[in-house]
Each structure stands twice: as C-alpha cells, then as structure tokens.
Amino acid sequence: MILSESDFTALAITLKMASLTTLILLLLGTPLAGGWCAPGGVSSFYWKR
Amino acid sequence: MVRTRWRFKFLLEAVIALPLVLPPTVLGFYLLIALGPHGPLGRLMESLGGRPLAFTFTGLVIGSVIYSMPFVIQPLQNAFATVGRRPLEVAATLRASPLDRFFTIAVPLARHGFLTAVVLGFAHTVGEFGVVLMIGGNIPGETQVLSIAIYDHVEGLEYVHAHWLSGGLLLASFLMLMVVYAIDRRFRSFQT
C-alpha cells in the first residue's frame, strides 16, 4: 500500500477541518461582508434621511 | 461591511486582513496561549466544565477560521461591492425590508463571490501548516493534518509517501482553481 492508515486519517482530519472552517466562515462572513447588520446600510434610516 | 459608514471600518478591515501578513507561527503562538489552560479561552472552557482547546481538533478549527478569514471575507466583500447600491434601492422603493433586500437581491447577485470564497477558504485551510502545527501539536489521529504528514514523511526520508500526498494535493488544488475559473468565465459571459 502506497499510503498508510495514518495518511488516510490525516486526510480525513484535513477534509473535516477544511469543511467546518469554510462553513463557519461563510456563516460569519456573509453578514459581515455584506454589511447587512452594519449601520449605514440601505436601511429604513437611510430612506428617512 | 461594504455599505457601512462606520468610522472605524478601516480597523475592522485591518483585523480581518491581518492573517495575510502575519507569520503563521506568530498567530499560532498567540492562539496557543489564548486557548491553553492559562489563556482566557482555555480558562473559560475549564470554568464551563470542558478542557482547554489547545492540541484539540476544536482548537484547530478555531485557528483555521481566524487564519483563513481574509480568504473568505475579501472575495465576498468584493462580490457585494460589485452588486452596487442601485438594485437595493430599487428593491427598497418596492417596500422590500433590509433582510429581503439582502437575501433576495444582494446574495443572488453576489453568488460568484460565494463560490470563490468557498474554494479559496477550503484550499487555504487544507494547505495550512504553521498555525495547525502550533495549535494542534501534530498528534497522529487527532490533530495531524496532511501538510504536517507530508513534512513528517520528508523528515523520515519516506519520499514515496510524500510524493503521493503532495501530488494528490497539487492535483486537487489545480482542479479546484480550474473549476473556479471556468465558472467565473461562464458567469461573466452570462452577465454581458
């Protein structure tokens, strides 16, 4: 066998880590980058002004 | 963040972009201190009945989230910036709430940015070395990731194993980038 069992375990840990990280970053990053919850967005306040 | 007029926006942007210029070992070192038994997060975990997060998989994910943050946030920020104000203002005249405008106008128009963010974030996390070595401590079966496994193989002069793992990562990275560019090209031709 070219790859050992520990290599496959490392691969599984890497994929699990990368998937979780990407998911968390998307959930955090979407409102943060989009400015949805940030003040000064296209909010009702903006229209009143 | 794209549309905010917050005075200290530059500060937030600098904090998010910090991992781009900070040496990974420096970030890993501070995270190790923070997540360890004497750090604020480690103490918090202990007070909640858990164990410190250093040298655990959870700690690894926390470190990766911080380290890969600019690779996800910046493509999203650019994509939202290209949407512009006009579609959102038009939706607002049709009485769409801020939440409606965000989810039905901004997010669909910025979808190519989501794809870039996902691929860049995923690929960057797979290739992490310094931060995961500092926080995870290279424990086989628990915190040992592929990049560290390659390093271990090279150190042990097991070049065949290192070749297979490196070649696999090279191919996967190339395929991911190819998909991103192909979809981006298709998206651009669809827009024009």
Side-chain angles (χ1 to χ4, degrees):
Chain A
M1 191 73 182
I2 294 155
L3 295 177
S4 61
E5 197 186 319
S6 67
D7 289 334
F8 283 109
T9 313
L11 175 68
I13 291 170
T14 307
L15 292 179
K16 194 172 145 192
M17 180 184 77
S19 310
L20 275 173
T21 301
T22 311
L23 187 68
I24 292 168
L25 277 173
L26 272 183
L27 291 174
L28 283 176
T30 306
L32 191 66
W36 156 48
C37 54
V42 189
S43 60
S44 50
F45 171 72
Y46 172 74
W47 287 100
K48 275 177 199 160
R49 285 210 310 167
Chain B
M1 207 152 72
V2 170
R3 271 165 255 293
T4 183
R5 290 174 200 165
W6 186 41
R7 206 170 164 190
F8 299 106
K9 180 186 168 184
F10 68 94
L11 207 67
L12 183 66
E13 284 179 325
V15 169
I16 289 170
L18 199 61
L20 286 175
V21 289
L22 201 65
T25 41
V26 174
L27 184 67
F29 172 67
Y30 284 123
L31 281 172
L32 185 64
I33 301 278
L35 300 174
H38 303 294
L41 290 171
R43 279 187 188 157
L44 180 74
M45 281 306 290
E46 277 186 327
S47 67
L48 293 172
R51 66 184 184 114
L53 296 168
F55 309 120
T56 63
F57 181 75
T58 313
L60 217 61
V61 173
I62 292 173
S64 299
V65 165
I66 294 169
Y67 189 51
S68 296
M69 198 175 269
F71 292 87
V72 174
I73 304 275
Q74 286 183 352
L76 286 179
Q77 207 181 341
N78 291 337
F80 281 121
T82 53
V83 169
R85 221 182 177 97
R86 197 168 165 78
L88 300 173
E89 286 176 348
V90 170
T93 62
L94 299 170
R95 302 185 81 83
S97 69
L99 211 64
D100 276 343
R101 294 198 288 272
F102 184 72
F103 282 111
T104 59
I105 309 289
V107 170
L109 286 175
R111 63 185 180 277
H112 68 288
F114 278 87
L115 180 80
T116 313
V118 165
V119 173
L120 280 183
F122 189 86
H124 188 253
T125 311
V126 167
E128 276 175 21
F129 185 81
V131 173
V132 288
L133 187 61
M134 293 290 273
I135 302 171
N138 191 16
I139 304 167
E142 203 176 327
T143 59
Q144 190 185 53
V145 293
L146 270 186
S147 53
I148 302 174
I150 292 170
Y151 180 77
D152 272 358
H153 285 313
V154 173
E155 210 177 22
L157 299 175
E158 298 162 348
Y159 279 23
V160 177
H161 284 73
H163 265 305
W164 275 96
L165 289 180
S166 304
L169 278 184
L170 179 74
L171 190 69
S173 307
F174 180 70
L175 284 176
M176 274 193 272
L177 282 177
M178 221 170 64
V179 168
V180 168
Y181 284 121
I183 292 176
D184 192 54
R185 194 178 161 191
R186 200 171 163 185
F187 180 80
R188 280 178 205 281
S189 63
F190 176 73
Q191 271 189 326
T192 52

